[in-house]
Tab-separated table of all heavy atoms in Angstrom:
chain	number	residue	atom	x	y	z
G	314	THR	N	18.874	-15.663	4.753
G	314	THR	CA	19.709	-14.607	5.332
G	314	THR	C	18.837	-13.684	6.180
G	314	THR	O	17.625	-13.566	5.975
G	314	THR	CB	20.413	-13.759	4.260
G	314	THR	OG1	19.427	-13.127	3.443
G	314	THR	CG2	21.334	-14.600	3.406
G	315	SER	N	19.513	-13.041	7.139
G	315	SER	CA	18.848	-12.088	8.019
G	315	SER	C	19.921	-11.073	8.400
G	315	SER	O	21.112	-11.395	8.369
G	315	SER	CB	18.341	-12.866	9.239
G	315	SER	OG	18.058	-12.021	10.312
G	316	TYR	N	19.500	-9.848	8.701
G	316	TYR	CA	20.475	-8.831	9.124
G	316	TYR	C	20.211	-8.541	10.589
G	316	TYR	O	19.091	-8.169	10.952
G	316	TYR	CB	20.344	-7.589	8.252
G	316	TYR	CG	20.580	-7.922	6.804
G	316	TYR	CD1	19.525	-8.210	5.950
G	316	TYR	CD2	21.872	-8.019	6.306
G	316	TYR	CE1	19.730	-8.579	4.637
G	316	TYR	CE2	22.100	-8.381	4.985
G	316	TYR	CZ	21.029	-8.653	4.162
G	316	TYR	OH	21.255	-9.032	2.858
G	317	GLU	N	21.211	-8.737	11.425
G	317	GLU	CA	20.973	-8.712	12.868
G	317	GLU	C	21.989	-7.841	13.591
G	317	GLU	O	23.147	-7.754	13.201
G	317	GLU	CB	21.026	-10.152	13.399
G	317	GLU	CG	19.957	-11.011	12.734
G	317	GLU	CD	20.003	-12.471	13.150
G	317	GLU	OE1	20.688	-12.811	14.129
G	317	GLU	OE2	19.334	-13.265	12.457
G	318	GLY	N	21.498	-7.219	14.662
G	318	GLY	CA	22.391	-6.391	15.477
G	318	GLY	C	21.740	-6.084	16.808
G	318	GLY	O	20.541	-6.330	17.008
G	319	ASP	N	22.548	-5.563	17.728
G	319	ASP	CA	22.016	-5.193	19.041
G	319	ASP	C	21.261	-3.880	18.940
G	319	ASP	O	21.558	-3.039	18.088
G	319	ASP	CB	23.164	-5.059	20.049
G	319	ASP	CG	23.808	-6.409	20.297
G	319	ASP	OD1	23.076	-7.407	20.314
G	319	ASP	OD2	25.043	-6.460	20.439
G	320	TYR	N	20.288	-3.716	19.818
G	320	TYR	CA	19.565	-2.449	19.883
G	320	TYR	C	20.531	-1.365	20.352
G	320	TYR	O	21.193	-1.511	21.359
G	320	TYR	CB	18.389	-2.579	20.856
G	320	TYR	CG	17.633	-1.290	21.024
G	320	TYR	CD1	16.980	-0.711	19.939
G	320	TYR	CD2	17.573	-0.645	22.255
G	320	TYR	CE1	16.294	0.477	20.080
G	320	TYR	CE2	16.877	0.546	22.407
G	320	TYR	CZ	16.237	1.102	21.316
G	320	TYR	OH	15.566	2.283	21.452
G	321	GLU	N	20.630	-0.272	19.595
G	321	GLU	CA	21.579	0.794	19.943
G	321	GLU	C	20.854	2.104	20.186
G	321	GLU	O	21.403	3.183	19.959
G	321	GLU	CB	22.616	0.957	18.827
G	321	GLU	CG	23.542	-0.241	18.693
G	321	GLU	CD	24.374	-0.219	17.422
G	321	GLU	OE1	24.459	0.830	16.759
G	321	GLU	OE2	24.937	-1.278	17.085
G	322	GLY	N	19.617	2.012	20.614
G	322	GLY	CA	18.876	3.221	20.953
G	322	GLY	C	18.376	3.996	19.753
G	322	GLY	O	17.811	5.072	19.886
G	323	LYS	N	18.563	3.445	18.558
G	323	LYS	CA	18.122	4.143	17.349
G	323	LYS	C	16.779	3.587	16.904
G	323	LYS	O	16.387	2.486	17.291
G	323	LYS	CB	19.152	3.954	16.240
G	323	LYS	CG	20.482	4.583	16.577
G	323	LYS	CD	21.505	4.296	15.511
G	323	LYS	CE	22.841	4.900	15.928
G	323	LYS	NZ	23.962	4.324	15.222
G	324	ILE	N	16.110	4.350	16.042
G	324	ILE	CA	14.742	3.979	15.674
G	324	ILE	C	14.674	2.592	15.008
G	324	ILE	O	13.723	1.853	15.197
G	324	ILE	CB	14.066	5.065	14.808
G	324	ILE	CG1	12.589	4.739	14.615
G	324	ILE	CG2	14.747	5.264	13.481
G	324	ILE	CD1	11.707	5.937	14.527
G	325	HIS	N	15.724	2.237	14.256
G	325	HIS	CA	15.748	0.893	13.670
G	325	HIS	C	16.788	0.000	14.325
G	325	HIS	O	17.261	-0.960	13.727
G	325	HIS	CB	15.958	0.968	12.171
G	325	HIS	CG	14.722	1.429	11.443
G	325	HIS	ND1	13.562	0.690	11.418
G	325	HIS	CD2	14.441	2.564	10.766
G	325	HIS	CE1	12.633	1.333	10.746
G	325	HIS	NE2	13.139	2.482	10.345
G	326	GLY	N	17.204	0.332	15.553
G	326	GLY	CA	18.118	-0.534	16.286
G	326	GLY	C	19.555	-0.104	16.171
G	326	GLY	O	20.108	0.459	17.101
G	327	GLY	N	20.190	-0.325	15.038
G	327	GLY	CA	21.596	0.021	14.842
G	327	GLY	C	22.146	-0.753	13.670
G	327	GLY	O	21.395	-1.230	12.823
G	328	VAL	N	23.472	-0.890	13.628
G	328	VAL	CA	24.114	-1.568	12.502
G	328	VAL	C	23.775	-3.053	12.534
G	328	VAL	O	23.808	-3.687	13.585
G	328	VAL	CB	25.652	-1.395	12.575
G	328	VAL	CG1	26.322	-2.166	11.443
G	328	VAL	CG2	26.015	0.068	12.518
G	329	LYS	N	23.441	-3.575	11.363
G	329	LYS	CA	23.093	-4.993	11.290
G	329	LYS	C	23.991	-5.704	10.293
G	329	LYS	O	24.310	-5.159	9.246
G	329	LYS	CB	21.634	-5.160	10.886
G	329	LYS	CG	20.689	-4.615	11.940
G	329	LYS	CD	19.251	-4.822	11.569
G	329	LYS	CE	18.356	-4.216	12.613
G	329	LYS	NZ	18.570	-2.751	12.704
G	330	THR	N	24.358	-6.917	10.646
G	330	THR	CA	25.263	-7.684	9.806
G	330	THR	C	24.592	-8.984	9.386
G	330	THR	O	23.804	-9.560	10.136
G	330	THR	CB	26.570	-7.957	10.578
G	330	THR	OG1	27.124	-6.702	10.952
G	330	THR	CG2	27.585	-8.703	9.722
G	331	LEU	N	24.932	-9.412	8.181
G	331	LEU	CA	24.277	-10.596	7.616
G	331	LEU	C	24.550	-11.845	8.448
G	331	LEU	O	25.687	-12.117	8.818
G	331	LEU	CB	24.769	-10.806	6.179
G	331	LEU	CG	24.010	-11.865	5.367
G	331	LEU	CD1	23.924	-11.434	3.909
G	331	LEU	CD2	24.628	-13.236	5.460
G	332	GLN	N	23.490	-12.584	8.727
G	332	GLN	CA	23.590	-13.902	9.356
G	332	GLN	C	22.992	-14.907	8.388
G	332	GLN	O	21.954	-14.657	7.782
G	332	GLN	CB	22.801	-13.942	10.664
G	332	GLN	CG	23.256	-12.929	11.690
G	332	GLN	CD	24.621	-13.250	12.257
G	332	GLN	OE1	24.892	-14.390	12.613
G	332	GLN	NE2	25.484	-12.254	12.309
G	333	HIS	N	23.656	-16.054	8.298
G	333	HIS	CA	23.228	-17.086	7.350
G	333	HIS	C	22.705	-18.306	8.113
G	333	HIS	O	23.316	-18.738	9.092
G	333	HIS	CB	24.433	-17.467	6.475
G	333	HIS	CG	24.244	-18.734	5.714
G	333	HIS	ND1	24.733	-19.953	6.138
G	333	HIS	CD2	23.586	-18.982	4.546
G	333	HIS	CE1	24.394	-20.883	5.267
G	333	HIS	NE2	23.716	-20.326	4.293
G	334	TYR	N	21.562	-18.831	7.677
G	334	TYR	CA	20.956	-20.028	8.279
G	334	TYR	C	20.677	-21.030	7.170
G	334	TYR	O	20.409	-20.645	6.040
G	334	TYR	CB	19.620	-19.686	8.948
G	334	TYR	CG	19.733	-18.646	10.035
G	334	TYR	CD1	19.580	-17.291	9.744
G	334	TYR	CD2	20.008	-19.010	11.343
G	334	TYR	CE1	19.702	-16.331	10.733
G	334	TYR	CE2	20.135	-18.058	12.344
G	334	TYR	CZ	19.974	-16.725	12.035
G	334	TYR	OH	20.106	-15.790	13.013
G	335	TYR	N	20.743	-22.311	7.489
G	335	TYR	CA	20.341	-23.303	6.492
G	335	TYR	C	19.690	-24.503	7.153
G	335	TYR	O	19.942	-24.831	8.320
G	335	TYR	CB	21.527	-23.731	5.618
G	335	TYR	CG	22.589	-24.534	6.346
G	335	TYR	CD1	22.650	-25.927	6.216
G	335	TYR	CD2	23.527	-23.903	7.148
G	335	TYR	CE1	23.621	-26.662	6.865
G	335	TYR	CE2	24.493	-24.631	7.808
G	335	TYR	CZ	24.542	-26.012	7.663
G	335	TYR	OH	25.492	-26.728	8.331
G	336	TRP	N	18.826	-25.150	6.384
G	336	TRP	CA	18.076	-26.320	6.833
G	336	TRP	C	18.851	-27.570	6.428
G	336	TRP	O	19.190	-27.743	5.260
G	336	TRP	CB	16.681	-26.314	6.193
G	336	TRP	CG	15.830	-27.482	6.546
G	336	TRP	CD1	15.477	-28.523	5.712
G	336	TRP	CD2	15.192	-27.746	7.800
G	336	TRP	NE1	14.669	-29.405	6.382
G	336	TRP	CE2	14.466	-28.958	7.674
G	336	TRP	CE3	15.155	-27.078	9.029
G	336	TRP	CZ2	13.733	-29.508	8.719
G	336	TRP	CZ3	14.416	-27.623	10.060
G	336	TRP	CH2	13.711	-28.827	9.911
G	337	THR	N	19.166	-28.428	7.385
G	337	THR	CA	19.983	-29.618	7.090
G	337	THR	C	19.129	-30.775	6.569
G	337	THR	O	19.650	-31.786	6.111
G	337	THR	CB	20.666	-30.127	8.371
G	337	THR	OG1	19.644	-30.518	9.309
G	337	THR	CG2	21.553	-29.064	8.997
G	338	GLY	N	17.810	-30.631	6.641
G	338	GLY	CA	16.912	-31.764	6.399
G	338	GLY	C	16.239	-32.159	7.706
G	338	GLY	O	15.133	-32.700	7.700
G	339	GLN	N	16.926	-31.862	8.817
G	339	GLN	CA	16.375	-32.147	10.153
G	339	GLN	C	16.113	-30.883	10.965
G	339	GLN	O	15.123	-30.760	11.653
G	339	GLN	CB	17.347	-33.023	10.967
G	339	GLN	CG	17.065	-34.505	10.879
G	339	GLN	CD	17.600	-35.086	9.594
G	339	GLN	OE1	18.734	-34.803	9.225
G	339	GLN	NE2	16.786	-35.858	8.898
G	340	ASP	N	17.077	-29.958	10.896
G	340	ASP	CA	16.934	-28.744	11.713
G	340	ASP	C	17.656	-27.557	11.063
G	340	ASP	O	18.369	-27.719	10.073
G	340	ASP	CB	17.437	-28.970	13.147
G	340	ASP	CG	18.825	-29.587	13.174
G	340	ASP	OD1	19.475	-29.618	12.101
G	340	ASP	OD2	19.268	-30.019	14.243
G	341	TRP	N	17.423	-26.378	11.661
G	341	TRP	CA	18.076	-25.175	11.168
G	341	TRP	C	19.434	-25.017	11.843
G	341	TRP	O	19.552	-25.169	13.056
G	341	TRP	CB	17.230	-23.934	11.477
G	341	TRP	CG	15.977	-23.830	10.666
G	341	TRP	CD1	14.717	-24.115	11.076
G	341	TRP	CD2	15.872	-23.414	9.305
G	341	TRP	NE1	13.821	-23.904	10.055
G	341	TRP	CE2	14.500	-23.471	8.959
G	341	TRP	CE3	16.791	-23.005	8.328
G	341	TRP	CZ2	14.034	-23.132	7.689
G	341	TRP	CZ3	16.331	-22.659	7.068
G	341	TRP	CH2	14.972	-22.729	6.750
G	342	LYS	N	20.441	-24.698	11.043
G	342	LYS	CA	21.778	-24.435	11.580
G	342	LYS	C	22.119	-22.970	11.295
G	342	LYS	O	21.724	-22.412	10.288
G	342	LYS	CB	22.812	-25.315	10.878
G	342	LYS	CG	22.791	-26.763	11.324
G	342	LYS	CD	23.918	-27.032	12.310
G	342	LYS	CE	24.098	-28.502	12.652
G	342	LYS	NZ	22.981	-29.146	13.305
G	343	SER	N	22.863	-22.382	12.236
G	343	SER	CA	23.274	-20.994	12.023
G	343	SER	C	24.767	-20.851	12.227
G	343	SER	O	25.414	-21.724	12.804
G	343	SER	CB	22.532	-20.076	12.983
G	343	SER	OG	22.895	-20.383	14.305
G	344	ASN	N	25.283	-19.754	11.723
G	344	ASN	CA	26.713	-19.486	11.826
G	344	ASN	C	26.934	-18.108	12.428
G	344	ASN	O	26.029	-17.282	12.437
G	344	ASN	CB	27.344	-19.547	10.433
G	344	ASN	CG	27.300	-20.950	9.866
G	344	ASN	OD1	27.827	-21.876	10.459
G	344	ASN	ND2	26.641	-21.104	8.731
G	345	GLN	N	28.143	-17.883	12.916
G	345	GLN	CA	28.458	-16.578	13.516
G	345	GLN	C	28.609	-15.493	12.459
G	345	GLN	O	28.229	-14.359	12.659
G	345	GLN	CB	29.751	-16.665	14.339
G	345	GLN	CG	29.596	-17.446	15.634
G	345	GLN	CD	28.644	-16.770	16.599
G	345	GLN	OE1	28.698	-15.558	16.770
G	345	GLN	NE2	27.767	-17.539	17.198
G	346	ASN	N	29.187	-15.867	11.297
G	346	ASN	CA	29.396	-14.924	10.189
G	346	ASN	C	30.122	-13.665	10.620
G	346	ASN	O	29.803	-12.555	10.199
G	346	ASN	CB	28.051	-14.555	9.534
G	346	ASN	CG	27.335	-15.773	8.965
G	346	ASN	OD1	26.139	-15.925	9.095
G	346	ASN	ND2	28.086	-16.671	8.338
G	347	ASN	N	31.149	-13.836	11.452
G	347	ASN	CA	31.922	-12.680	11.923
G	347	ASN	C	32.816	-12.084	10.845
G	347	ASN	O	33.285	-10.960	10.982
G	347	ASN	CB	32.792	-13.079	13.122
G	347	ASN	CG	31.946	-13.327	14.352
G	347	ASN	OD1	30.883	-12.723	14.507
G	347	ASN	ND2	32.394	-14.235	15.205
G	348	ASP	N	33.065	-12.858	9.783
G	348	ASP	CA	33.995	-12.356	8.766
G	348	ASP	C	33.312	-11.509	7.696
G	348	ASP	O	33.967	-10.995	6.796
G	348	ASP	CB	34.779	-13.503	8.121
G	348	ASP	CG	33.941	-14.758	7.945
G	348	ASP	OD1	32.694	-14.654	8.055
G	348	ASP	OD2	34.517	-15.826	7.701
G	349	LEU	N	31.982	-11.345	7.781
G	349	LEU	CA	31.297	-10.497	6.796
G	349	LEU	C	31.314	-9.037	7.251
G	349	LEU	O	31.246	-8.754	8.448
G	349	LEU	CB	29.868	-10.975	6.603
G	349	LEU	CG	29.746	-12.336	5.914
G	349	LEU	CD1	28.312	-12.827	5.953
G	349	LEU	CD2	30.247	-12.248	4.486
G	350	PRO	N	31.390	-8.104	6.288
G	350	PRO	CA	31.487	-6.690	6.676
G	350	PRO	C	30.203	-6.175	7.318
G	350	PRO	O	29.108	-6.513	6.870
G	350	PRO	CB	31.755	-5.976	5.348
G	350	PRO	CG	31.311	-6.922	4.288
G	350	PRO	CD	31.446	-8.303	4.836
G	351	GLU	N	30.357	-5.372	8.340
G	351	GLU	CA	29.206	-4.782	9.031
G	351	GLU	C	28.358	-3.983	8.053
G	351	GLU	O	28.878	-3.176	7.293
G	351	GLU	CB	29.701	-3.814	10.111
G	351	GLU	CG	29.988	-4.465	11.429
G	351	GLU	CD	30.173	-3.430	12.531
G	351	GLU	OE1	30.274	-2.225	12.207
G	351	GLU	OE2	30.228	-3.830	13.703
G	352	GLY	N	27.070	-4.196	8.097
G	352	GLY	CA	26.157	-3.356	7.320
G	352	GLY	C	26.007	-3.732	5.861
G	352	GLY	O	25.158	-3.181	5.173
G	353	ALA	N	26.823	-4.671	5.355
G	353	ALA	CA	26.724	-5.024	3.934
G	353	ALA	C	25.471	-5.859	3.686
G	353	ALA	O	25.089	-6.689	4.507
G	353	ALA	CB	27.955	-5.792	3.494
G	354	ARG	N	24.827	-5.612	2.545
G	354	ARG	CA	23.580	-6.323	2.218
G	354	ARG	C	23.593	-6.794	0.782
G	354	ARG	O	24.257	-6.192	-0.051
G	354	ARG	CB	22.385	-5.398	2.418
G	354	ARG	CG	22.261	-5.012	3.868
G	354	ARG	CD	20.954	-4.348	4.154
G	354	ARG	NE	20.912	-4.044	5.569
G	354	ARG	CZ	19.827	-3.922	6.289
G	354	ARG	NH1	18.660	-4.062	5.711
G	354	ARG	NH2	19.876	-3.655	7.565
G	355	GLY	N	22.810	-7.820	0.496
G	355	GLY	CA	22.745	-8.233	-0.895
G	355	GLY	C	22.091	-9.566	-1.126
G	355	GLY	O	21.151	-9.938	-0.426
G	356	GLU	N	22.616	-10.268	-2.116
G	356	GLU	CA	21.986	-11.469	-2.660
G	356	GLU	C	22.773	-12.723	-2.300
G	356	GLU	O	23.906	-12.652	-1.849
G	356	GLU	CB	21.915	-11.344	-4.188
G	356	GLU	CG	20.540	-10.939	-4.692
G	356	GLU	CD	19.532	-12.087	-4.587
G	356	GLU	OE1	19.849	-13.136	-3.996
G	356	GLU	OE2	18.410	-11.931	-5.113
G	357	MET	N	22.141	-13.859	-2.553
G	357	MET	CA	22.771	-15.143	-2.260
G	357	MET	C	22.399	-16.139	-3.343
G	357	MET	O	21.257	-16.155	-3.804
G	357	MET	CB	22.273	-15.651	-0.907
G	357	MET	CG	22.669	-17.084	-0.587
G	357	MET	SD	22.287	-17.584	1.107
G	357	MET	CE	20.508	-17.379	1.170
G	358	LEU	N	23.363	-16.955	-3.756
G	358	LEU	CA	23.026	-18.123	-4.555
G	358	LEU	C	23.858	-19.291	-4.067
G	358	LEU	O	24.932	-19.105	-3.479
G	358	LEU	CB	23.196	-17.861	-6.048
G	358	LEU	CG	24.550	-17.528	-6.635
G	358	LEU	CD1	25.349	-18.781	-6.931
G	358	LEU	CD2	24.343	-16.779	-7.956
G	359	ILE	N	23.340	-20.484	-4.268
G	359	ILE	CA	24.060	-21.690	-3.867
G	359	ILE	C	24.256	-22.497	-5.134
G	359	ILE	O	23.269	-22.856	-5.798
G	359	ILE	CB	23.271	-22.477	-2.798
G	359	ILE	CG1	23.069	-21.582	-1.569
G	359	ILE	CG2	24.028	-23.731	-2.378
G	359	ILE	CD1	21.659	-21.290	-1.232
G	360	ASN	N	25.501	-22.737	-5.518
G	360	ASN	CA	25.736	-23.401	-6.811
G	360	ASN	C	25.697	-24.921	-6.653
G	360	ASN	O	25.469	-25.456	-5.571
G	360	ASN	CB	27.005	-22.881	-7.479
G	360	ASN	CG	28.260	-23.275	-6.725
G	360	ASN	OD1	28.230	-24.175	-5.905
G	360	ASN	ND2	29.344	-22.590	-7.002
G	361	THR	N	25.929	-25.627	-7.757
G	361	THR	CA	25.728	-27.077	-7.757
G	361	THR	C	26.736	-27.815	-6.866
G	361	THR	O	26.536	-28.967	-6.532
G	361	THR	CB	25.823	-27.640	-9.188
G	361	THR	OG1	26.974	-27.067	-9.799
G	361	THR	CG2	24.589	-27.300	-9.992
G	362	ASN	N	27.827	-27.145	-6.479
G	362	ASN	CA	28.763	-27.760	-5.520
G	362	ASN	C	28.398	-27.414	-4.085
G	362	ASN	O	29.196	-27.623	-3.177
G	362	ASN	CB	30.189	-27.276	-5.788
G	362	ASN	CG	30.623	-27.625	-7.183
G	362	ASN	OD1	30.280	-28.695	-7.677
G	362	ASN	ND2	31.346	-26.732	-7.820
G	363	ASN	N	27.208	-26.837	-3.907
G	363	ASN	CA	26.759	-26.351	-2.603
G	363	ASN	C	27.685	-25.285	-2.019
G	363	ASN	O	27.796	-25.108	-0.813
G	363	ASN	CB	26.555	-27.488	-1.604
G	363	ASN	CG	25.078	-27.884	-1.548
G	363	ASN	OD1	24.240	-27.300	-2.228
G	363	ASN	ND2	24.766	-28.863	-0.725
G	364	GLN	N	28.369	-24.594	-2.910
G	364	GLN	CA	29.140	-23.422	-2.502
G	364	GLN	C	28.153	-22.262	-2.356
G	364	GLN	O	27.292	-22.061	-3.214
G	364	GLN	CB	30.152	-23.109	-3.605
G	364	GLN	CG	31.136	-22.037	-3.263
G	364	GLN	CD	32.077	-21.776	-4.437
G	364	GLN	OE1	31.627	-21.543	-5.557
G	364	GLN	NE2	33.369	-21.849	-4.181
G	365	ILE	N	28.271	-21.539	-1.234
G	365	ILE	CA	27.363	-20.410	-1.001
G	365	ILE	C	28.062	-19.144	-1.481
G	365	ILE	O	29.190	-18.859	-1.087
G	365	ILE	CB	27.016	-20.279	0.494
G	365	ILE	CG1	26.408	-21.579	1.000
G	365	ILE	CG2	26.057	-19.119	0.721
G	365	ILE	CD1	26.399	-21.665	2.508
G	366	LYS	N	27.365	-18.405	-2.333
G	366	LYS	CA	27.943	-17.174	-2.867
G	366	LYS	C	27.045	-15.999	-2.493
G	366	LYS	O	25.859	-15.987	-2.838
G	366	LYS	CB	28.076	-17.258	-4.391
G	366	LYS	CG	29.003	-18.379	-4.849
G	366	LYS	CD	29.125	-18.426	-6.362
G	366	LYS	CE	29.970	-17.276	-6.875
G	366	LYS	NZ	30.191	-17.344	-8.334
G	367	LEU	N	27.614	-15.057	-1.771
G	367	LEU	CA	26.879	-13.837	-1.433
G	367	LEU	C	27.408	-12.711	-2.311
G	367	LEU	O	28.625	-12.545	-2.444
G	367	LEU	CB	27.106	-13.460	0.034
G	367	LEU	CG	26.717	-14.485	1.100
G	367	LEU	CD1	27.194	-14.007	2.467
G	367	LEU	CD2	25.216	-14.697	1.107
G	368	LEU	N	26.511	-11.955	-2.911
G	368	LEU	CA	26.910	-10.739	-3.626
G	368	LEU	C	26.470	-9.571	-2.753
G	368	LEU	O	25.273	-9.319	-2.604
G	368	LEU	CB	26.247	-10.684	-4.998
G	368	LEU	CG	26.656	-9.499	-5.880
G	368	LEU	CD1	28.168	-9.488	-6.138
G	368	LEU	CD2	25.907	-9.529	-7.208
G	369	LEU	N	27.446	-8.902	-2.131
G	369	LEU	CA	27.121	-7.908	-1.112
G	369	LEU	C	27.523	-6.501	-1.522
G	369	LEU	O	28.602	-6.291	-2.083
G	369	LEU	CB	27.819	-8.255	0.207
G	369	LEU	CG	27.440	-9.593	0.853
G	369	LEU	CD1	28.174	-9.760	2.175
G	369	LEU	CD2	25.934	-9.699	1.056
G	370	GLY	N	26.667	-5.557	-1.231
G	370	GLY	CA	26.964	-4.142	-1.418
G	370	GLY	C	27.301	-3.528	-0.077
G	370	GLY	O	26.561	-3.685	0.890
G	371	ASP	N	28.418	-2.854	-0.054
G	371	ASP	CA	28.892	-2.219	1.171
G	371	ASP	C	28.107	-0.930	1.390
G	371	ASP	O	28.009	-0.099	0.493
G	371	ASP	CB	30.379	-1.894	0.974
G	371	ASP	CG	31.106	-1.888	2.282
G	371	ASP	OD1	30.462	-1.631	3.308
G	371	ASP	OD2	32.322	-2.131	2.258
G	372	THR	N	27.538	-0.775	2.570
G	372	THR	CA	26.747	0.431	2.828
G	372	THR	C	27.552	1.492	3.581
G	372	THR	O	27.020	2.536	3.918
G	372	THR	CB	25.469	0.090	3.625
G	372	THR	OG1	25.845	-0.671	4.769
G	372	THR	CG2	24.495	-0.701	2.791
Side-chain angles (χ1 to χ4, degrees):
T314 61
S315 162
Y316 301 95
E317 300 177 13
D319 293 324
Y320 177 63
E321 293 168 15
K323 296 176 182 161
I324 188 147
H325 286 295
V328 177
K329 295 182 182 62
T330 302
L331 190 145
Q332 301 291 314
H333 165 262
Y334 301 91
Y335 68 101
W336 178 251
T337 62
Q339 266 79 46
D340 50 12
W341 289 103
K342 285 259 189 298
S343 64
N344 293 302
Q345 288 295 317
N346 300 138
N347 289 330
D348 37 15
L349 292 171
E351 273 193 349
R354 296 192 179 206
E356 259 287 8
M357 170 171 60
L358 63 84
I359 300 118
N360 68 17
T361 46
N362 301 323
N363 262 359
Q364 187 181 52
I365 303 164
K366 298 181 73 176
L367 302 172
L368 184 59
L369 298 182
D371 208 334
T372 51

